[in-house]
Amino acid sequence: MNTCSPDAGNVALRIDGLRKSYGKVQALDGVSFDIRRGEFFGLLGPNGAGKSTLINIIASLVRADQGSIGVLGHDTVRDWRSARRLIGVVPQELVFDPFFKVLDMLRIQAGYYGCGREAWPWIDELLSRLDLADKRNSPMRALSGGMKRRVLIAQALVHRPPVVILDEPTAGVDVELRRTLWTFMNELHAKGTTVVLTTHYLEEAQDLCERIAIIDKGRVRVIETTPQLLNRHPFRFLRLKLANSGQLPEALRPLVAGEKDGSIELRLERDKHPISGVFAALRAAGLDLEDVHTREPDLEDIFIELTHDHSRPAANGGAR
Ligand SMILES: Nc1ncnc2c1ncn2[C@@H]1O[C@H](COP(=O)(O)OP(=O)(O)OP(=O)(O)O)[C@@H](O)[C@H]1O
Ligand SMILES: [Mg+2]
């Protein structure tokens, strides 16, 4: 699909026909798409969808069975030295040498990319931006989980890569750092860095990402701009609180999407279920309303819809 596209010069990552299996598990089942230069791109999907497998193949940590990856035109197998230099990957797993001190780890990593003392001011800036300055001489084993993740983020950025890939960087990270990290990533993005993010915090993806791919069972289910994705499903939610703890009429029960704190949330298809029809049904049943409001679908609703993972309702019971 990719090789002859007219905007090949605008492509940061070209993922072409990737397949990978672990024994009988088909982790990636033919994945092809491009990520444009300078994009803030979200890679979403349920647990086990294949996101980390894809990222680990891009980072050359895992070998694909089939297919290829190009990073700014450099093939990650044939031209791995150049490709590697162009990407910074924050892996999902916290892997590090427990005895190294934070600063040493970052300087060694810079050296690995051929950067010497000239990288030290940038390392200092990374330590300060990621709130690690007072931990610079701590051994890795003495850091908390969230701090270790910060060091891995700094490590991925040490050689100023034009493409940054973050595999669940905010897992186990406190709210403060999450904000700091996103401000920092937005700054890098504004300067032209391509940022690829996987996260299970869908509101994060909704706020940050310009385009999103949803992967499920090793395949790309959808790849769209965030606004397109949010507008793709013609439904909305209507939350009702019935007066005098009345019972919902039979005809409306199939529309119930969730219940919380005495409120009922109905999922209304725009063409099929006009709000006026709901009110008419309530009136006909002699029911009064105490409270009512509508809500547009957010990324979490779309995600659940697309991955059909109704076994995992939202943590708040579906009514938000
Ligand atoms: N090293 C491995 N050995 C065997 N199976 C693996 C290995 N790595 C991944 N898998 C399997 O491949 C599939 C995809 O896993 P992957 O880690 O890519 O998912 P993911 O989308 O990153 O999930 P999560 O959101 O939980 O991080 C899963 O079924 C997983 O069990
Ligand atoms: Mg993963």
PDB file of all heavy atoms in Angstrom, residues 51-52 92 167-168, ligand 2:
ATOM      1  N   LYS A  51       0.132  -4.033  20.533  1.00  0.00           N
ATOM      2  CA  LYS A  51       0.771  -2.707  20.512  1.00  0.00           C
ATOM      3  C   LYS A  51       2.263  -2.795  20.848  1.00  0.00           C
ATOM      4  O   LYS A  51       3.100  -2.262  20.140  1.00  0.00           O
ATOM      5  CB  LYS A  51       0.074  -1.754  21.515  1.00  0.00           C
ATOM      6  CG  LYS A  51      -1.421  -1.640  21.314  1.00  0.00           C
ATOM      7  CD  LYS A  51      -2.065  -0.734  22.342  1.00  0.00           C
ATOM      8  CE  LYS A  51      -1.947  -1.210  23.784  1.00  0.00           C
ATOM      9  NZ  LYS A  51      -2.683  -2.444  24.115  1.00  0.00           N
ATOM     10  N   SER A  52       2.569  -3.477  21.961  1.00  0.00           N
ATOM     11  CA  SER A  52       3.983  -3.548  22.365  1.00  0.00           C
ATOM     12  C   SER A  52       4.788  -4.387  21.384  1.00  0.00           C
ATOM     13  O   SER A  52       5.965  -4.090  21.135  1.00  0.00           O
ATOM     14  CB  SER A  52       4.114  -4.128  23.778  1.00  0.00           C
ATOM     15  OG  SER A  52       3.519  -3.262  24.698  1.00  0.00           O
ATOM     16  N   GLN A  92       7.543  -0.532  27.517  1.00  0.00           N
ATOM     17  CA  GLN A  92       6.536  -0.739  28.565  1.00  0.00           C
ATOM     18  C   GLN A  92       7.174  -1.386  29.798  1.00  0.00           C
ATOM     19  O   GLN A  92       6.858  -1.032  30.930  1.00  0.00           O
ATOM     20  CB  GLN A  92       5.425  -1.639  28.007  1.00  0.00           C
ATOM     21  CG  GLN A  92       4.277  -1.843  28.959  1.00  0.00           C
ATOM     22  CD  GLN A  92       3.125  -2.609  28.302  1.00  0.00           C
ATOM     23  OE1 GLN A  92       3.216  -3.057  27.171  1.00  0.00           O
ATOM     24  NE2 GLN A  92       2.053  -2.768  29.041  1.00  0.00           N
ATOM     25  N   ASP A 167       5.603   3.675  25.040  1.00  0.00           N
ATOM     26  CA  ASP A 167       4.687   2.552  25.286  1.00  0.00           C
ATOM     27  C   ASP A 167       4.185   2.642  26.728  1.00  0.00           C
ATOM     28  O   ASP A 167       4.891   2.273  27.661  1.00  0.00           O
ATOM     29  CB  ASP A 167       5.424   1.231  25.035  1.00  0.00           C
ATOM     30  CG  ASP A 167       4.471   0.050  24.931  1.00  0.00           C
ATOM     31  OD1 ASP A 167       3.263   0.217  25.198  1.00  0.00           O
ATOM     32  OD2 ASP A 167       4.942  -1.058  24.595  1.00  0.00           O
ATOM     33  N   GLU A 168       2.999   3.153  26.899  1.00  0.00           N
ATOM     34  CA  GLU A 168       2.377   3.361  28.209  1.00  0.00           C
ATOM     35  C   GLU A 168       3.303   4.101  29.189  1.00  0.00           C
ATOM     36  O   GLU A 168       3.596   3.601  30.275  1.00  0.00           O
ATOM     37  CB  GLU A 168       1.925   2.027  28.801  1.00  0.00           C
ATOM     38  CG  GLU A 168       0.808   1.438  27.967  1.00  0.00           C
ATOM     39  CD  GLU A 168       0.124   0.287  28.644  1.00  0.00           C
ATOM     40  OE1 GLU A 168      -0.103   0.364  29.856  1.00  0.00           O
ATOM     41  OE2 GLU A 168      -0.173  -0.687  27.940  1.00  0.00           O
TER      42      GLU A 168
HETATM   43 MG    MG B   2       1.825  -3.432  25.752  1.00  0.00          MG
END
